[in-house]
Amino acid sequence: MNASKKKKMSLSRKHNLTGWGFLAPAAILILIMSFVPMVKALLLSFQTGIGANMKPAGLLNYQRMFQDKVFMTALKNNFFYLIIQVPIMLVLALILASMLNNKDLKFKGLFRTCIFLPCATSLVSYAIVFRTLFAMDGFVNMALMKLHIIEKGINWLANPGTAKAVIIIALIWRWTGYNMVFYLSGLQNIDYSVYEAARIDGASPVQSFWKITVPLLKPTILLTTIMSTNGTLQLFDESVNLTNGGPSNATITMSHYIYNMSFKYTPNFGYAAAMSYLILILVAVLALVQMKVGDKRE
């Protein structure tokens, strides 16, 4: 009896050790590449200066952020993109997923691929495409003038309002298909007989959408909302490649400003690290709020 228990225990221990053996290389890499730099960045955020001249600064870098007009503009821009773009993108992704989940729809694979394809496009390539589309002599101005909506071309990227609109349109174009895939995956786990029963009971497609699709996809909607919030607060490529933060820092984002403070202007790594940690805090707080509000499971 004891020998059998020892044999079972040793076998269980061997399985555990084997599992940890496979996990250890990845865990060590994550620790070295992610957590160690995070700790060093936290320590750096309480310092000022460059290289060997680094000296303690206490909370000076954190206090400076709220007196920095450019950073406050970047913070407002990030929340503007978040409030406008994320809801539009997620609602559009959910509607497209519902439409493409129709079992009677032909060429579903083609439609899904076309909608998802922008997500696979290079960030720099799609930025160039949008800069070309919204140029003074670009397709958008030409189309609007042909339709007699405008009399002369609009300099979309030179005006703060229209430049922000271009960034939002670009984000929606790129990431809607990505979120659609999550919703489509969730919808395929819902038995189609549920929709058939609702239709027999007299429910319209809109009622089925709000009463069946949305409630059953609530965990997926929560996941995509948190991911989209996280991505928008760290927005970098669109600000750099589409507008370069202009005009006059009107469209700059926090990550773009951190890059400028680290590599474009006179380097101030302590201040840049402090701004990075503010983004981390904002992401964590918003994710926690969204989970508390959105996840009502007991």
Side-chain angles (χ1 to χ4, degrees):
M1 185 77 176
N2 291 334
S4 176
K5 282 186 177 180
K6 286 181 179 179
K7 188 176 181 181
K8 287 182 180 178
M9 288 292 290
S10 62
L11 186 61
S12 175
R13 191 175 179 183
K14 283 180 181 178
H15 286 165
N16 287 336
L17 289 173
T18 303
W20 280 109
F22 282 110
L23 288 173
I28 292 169
L29 282 173
I30 291 171
L31 179 67
I32 294 172
M33 300 295 180
S34 296
F35 289 103
V36 171
M38 284 174 65
V39 173
K40 288 188 174 181
L42 179 62
L43 297 175
L44 187 63
S45 70
F46 296 105
Q47 298 177 358
T48 187
I50 303 174
N53 298 320
M54 296 292 288
K55 57 184 179 181
L59 296 173
L60 185 64
N61 288 325
Y62 291 92
Q63 293 170 353
R64 177 182 170 182
M65 281 189 288
F66 299 100
Q67 299 167 357
D68 187 339
K69 291 183 179 179
V70 177
F71 180 76
M72 294 309 294
T73 299
L75 180 63
K76 290 174 185 176
N77 287 340
N78 274 95
F79 275 96
F80 178 79
Y81 300 140
L82 176 65
I83 293 167
I84 303 297
Q85 175 257 332
V86 171
I88 295 173
M89 175 183 66
L90 295 184
V91 169
L92 187 58
L94 188 54
I95 292 170
L96 288 171
S98 299
M99 292 170 64
L100 293 177
N101 192 49
N102 187 341
K103 65 177 183 179
D104 298 322
L105 181 67
K106 295 181 179 179
F107 307 112
K108 286 189 288 188
L110 175 63
F111 292 136
R112 291 172 184 177
T113 303
C114 290
I115 295 171
F116 180 77
L117 204 56
C119 178
T121 308
S122 163
L123 286 165
V124 175
S125 299
Y126 108 93
I128 292 171
V129 169
F130 270 84
R131 285 181 68 91
T132 305
L133 285 173
F134 287 92
M136 283 292 291
D137 56 349
F139 175 79
V140 173
N141 278 335
M142 289 176 63
L144 292 175
M145 286 190 287
K146 287 284 186 182
L147 294 170
H148 303 290
I149 296 173
I150 58 174
E151 294 182 1
K152 61 179 181 178
I154 300 171
N155 196 348
W156 295 89
L157 300 177
N159 179 278
T162 54
K164 288 178 183 177
V166 172
I167 289 177
I168 289 171
I169 292 168
L171 288 169
I172 292 171
W173 179 83
R174 180 172 172 79
W175 295 111
T176 296
Y178 177 80
N179 290 286
M180 182 201 71
V181 170
F182 285 93
Y183 295 145
L184 199 53
S185 176
L187 284 169
Q188 289 174 352
N189 290 323
I190 300 173
D191 197 331
Y192 204 78
S193 62
V194 177
Y195 292 99
E196 290 178 342
R199 189 170 65 252
I200 291 169
D201 288 340
S204 66
V206 175
Q207 288 175 323
S208 297
F209 178 80
W210 286 110
K211 299 295 184 180
I212 298 174
T213 302
V214 173
L216 292 178
L217 281 183
K218 196 173 182 181
T220 309
I221 293 170
L222 178 62
L223 171 67
T224 54
T225 302
I226 292 172
M227 290 194 306
S228 300
T229 300
N230 185 3
T232 306
L233 288 177
Q234 298 180 67
L235 195 64
F236 175 76
D237 296 278
E238 287 73 15
S239 175
V240 173
N241 295 316
L242 271 175
T243 63
N244 197 25
S248 301
N249 292 323
T251 60
I252 196 169
T253 61
M254 290 187 287
S255 295
H256 188 181
Y257 188 50
I258 290 169
Y259 172 83
N260 288 346
M261 290 302 300
S262 300
F263 306 109
K264 189 174 179 180
Y265 307 148
T266 302
N268 192 334
F269 296 116
Y271 184 42
M275 290 190 286
S276 300
Y277 261 87
L278 180 64
I279 295 178
L280 174 65
I281 292 167
L282 288 173
V283 168
V285 169
L286 287 175
L288 182 62
V289 169
Q290 288 166 346
M291 289 181 69
K292 289 291 184 183
V293 172
D295 193 354
K296 298 296 184 182
R297 290 175 296 177
E298 298 294 333

